[in-house]
Amino acid sequence: MEELSLHILDLIENALAAGAKSIEICINEDTGQDELRLEVRDNGRGLTPEASAGVMSPFYTSRTTRRVGLGLPLLKATAEACEGGISLESEAGRGTTVAAWMRLSSVDRPPLGDIGASLAAALARQDPPKLVYRHYRDGRQFRFSSKELEEELGVIPLQEGLVLNWLRQYINEQVNGL
Amino acid sequence: MKSLEELRQIKEKALEEIRLREQEKKVQVIIGMGTCGIAAGAREVMSAILDELGKRRLTNVAVTQTGCIGLCAQEPLVDVIFPGKPKVTYGKIDPFKARQIVAQHIVNGIIIEEWVVNK
């Protein structure tokens, strides 16, 4: 994956496949600590301890639930190339949290990329999840909540092309302006 | 006892029905967004479609996504469904082709046979 935002989209897809209704994404860029940390937390069905142990292997897949494919091993490889790592916490029936951290200044660190497109893609569903995105950059913060957006829109559905197009550009502008 | 909470639930239900009814009248565009699709560029395809819809001010199109459907070699996959018509699946779509699909298929109603994978 060439962008961190593609990894994030992949993690969101995992969460959606696990039946998550609420997904929280948090990115923290800290120049002082020279660290980038990203976290995706969902309230999906979670993983059994056996599955948790297996998901880091590229050869592990759970086709019945479509919970994981190559996504996590790819993220792990990216994080480790940037002197970082990933962690996975999951409780069956409660949800899953995947976190990754890496050295912010590492030459191998992929750019964040088109995060607006990733979030727009995640919300382009018949029954979109409640999505909260928080981005911190050296203490400055941008926060987006799809629930608040839906309240603003009223009867207009979120997956309307024009709405998603606006959303993509809005998020990118806000994040780049941090 | 009637409560405001109950009224809110009625409102929610009514809104949901309106949404569903509106949904049925719309053209649906579905993009495969599994790990295979994402790696093949499905997100860029979706962005191109959204951008094209925005430029053309098309409000009757719902853009949604789906997971891996097992046709990974043909990713990125784009389905176009007109109300009451069978699904048309396009394979190996890039942002340029995606814009063509909006112009030719969605606006003019002409299927681009060359790129269709479910003939």
Side-chain angles (χ1 to χ4, degrees):
Chain A
M1 303 267 179
E2 287 164 13
E3 297 176 3
L4 290 179
S5 56
L6 288 171
H7 281 297
I8 290 169
L9 177 56
D10 199 35
L11 292 175
I12 296 172
E13 291 296 322
N14 282 348
L16 291 169
K21 292 276 170 273
S22 155
I23 303 171
E24 284 177 40
I25 301 137
C26 182
I27 298 180
N28 191 358
E29 295 177 51
D30 188 331
T31 318
Q33 301 283 331
D34 196 15
E35 188 187 64
L36 183 148
R37 195 182 160 82
L38 63 92
E39 193 179 280
V40 176
R41 181 189 298 269
D42 72 58
N43 70 344
R45 71 175 74 86
L47 292 158
T48 60
E50 303 85 73
S52 294
V55 289
M56 295 300 166
S57 158
F59 304 107
Y60 179 89
T61 180
S62 57
R63 270 296 179 192
T64 47
T65 59
R66 287 184 188 276
R67 182 63 183 79
V68 265
L70 270 169
L72 287 170
L74 286 174
L75 177 62
K76 187 166 183 253
T78 299
E80 286 174 355
C82 308
E83 299 162 58
I86 74 172
S87 72
L88 181 134
E89 268 173 63
S90 188
E91 202 181 325
R94 297 290 297 274
T96 304
T97 302
V98 178
W101 56 94
M102 51 198 81
R103 197 154 68 83
L104 189 61
S105 64
S106 168
V107 290
D108 291 315
R109 183 180 66 80
L112 178 65
D114 196 343
I115 185 72
S118 285
L119 298 185
L123 288 171
R125 296 171 68 90
Q126 215 71 267
D127 186 16
K130 290 199 177 16
L131 199 138
V132 175
Y133 177 76
R134 276 193 302 263
H135 195 129
Y136 301 90
R137 185 173 290 152
D138 295 327
R140 296 183 295 278
Q141 194 205 151
F142 165 65
R143 181 178 173 279
F144 164 77
S145 152
S146 67
K147 188 163 175 273
E148 286 164 18
L149 180 65
E150 273 188 300
E151 280 164 8
E152 196 69 45
L153 286 167
V155 291
I156 301 168
L158 204 61
Q159 58 271 33
E160 183 81 61
L162 289 179
V163 172
L164 290 173
N165 194 40
W166 172 84
L167 180 66
R168 176 190 167 218
Q169 293 169 4
Y170 169 73
I171 289 174
N172 281 341
E173 275 172 23
Q174 295 292 321
V175 169
N176 292 332
L178 267 182
Chain B
M1 267 291 270
K2 298 288 173 201
S3 66
L4 272 177
E5 185 48 42
E6 204 180 340
L7 181 67
R8 250 172 245 132
Q9 284 170 8
I10 292 168
K11 181 188 157 200
E12 280 298 314
K13 210 162 161 267
L15 285 177
E16 193 53 39
E17 273 167 23
I18 292 168
R19 279 185 195 192
L20 283 175
R21 222 179 305 142
E22 287 299 311
Q23 206 63 46
E24 280 163 14
K25 282 187 270 175
K26 281 179 193 279
V27 179
Q28 276 194 74
V29 178
I30 307 170
I31 298 151
M33 203 67 74
T35 302
C36 48
I38 295 170
R43 197 196 60 184
E44 283 64 34
V45 166
M46 178 177 270
S47 295
I49 290 172
L50 292 178
D51 184 52
E52 201 62 32
L53 295 176
K55 277 185 187 156
R56 293 167 183 273
R57 299 258 139 218
L58 295 173
T59 54
N60 63 333
V61 182
V63 181
T64 57
Q65 50 128 321
T66 183
C68 171
I69 57 162
L71 214 64
C72 308
Q74 296 289 335
E75 293 280 2
L77 289 163
V78 175
D79 291 340
V80 177
I81 308 170
F82 270 78
K85 288 193 182 160
K87 173 168 81 179
V88 177
T89 303
Y90 292 105
K92 296 191 176 166
I93 294 306
D94 57 30
F96 177 73
K97 287 179 175 173
R99 287 177 193 275
Q100 299 267 50
I101 290 170
V102 174
Q104 284 299 315
H105 192 164
I106 296 172
V107 176
N108 296 330
I110 302 164
I111 297 171
I112 308 171
E113 297 288 347
E114 270 180 86
W115 306 335
V116 175
V117 291
N118 66 336
K119 284 175 195 169

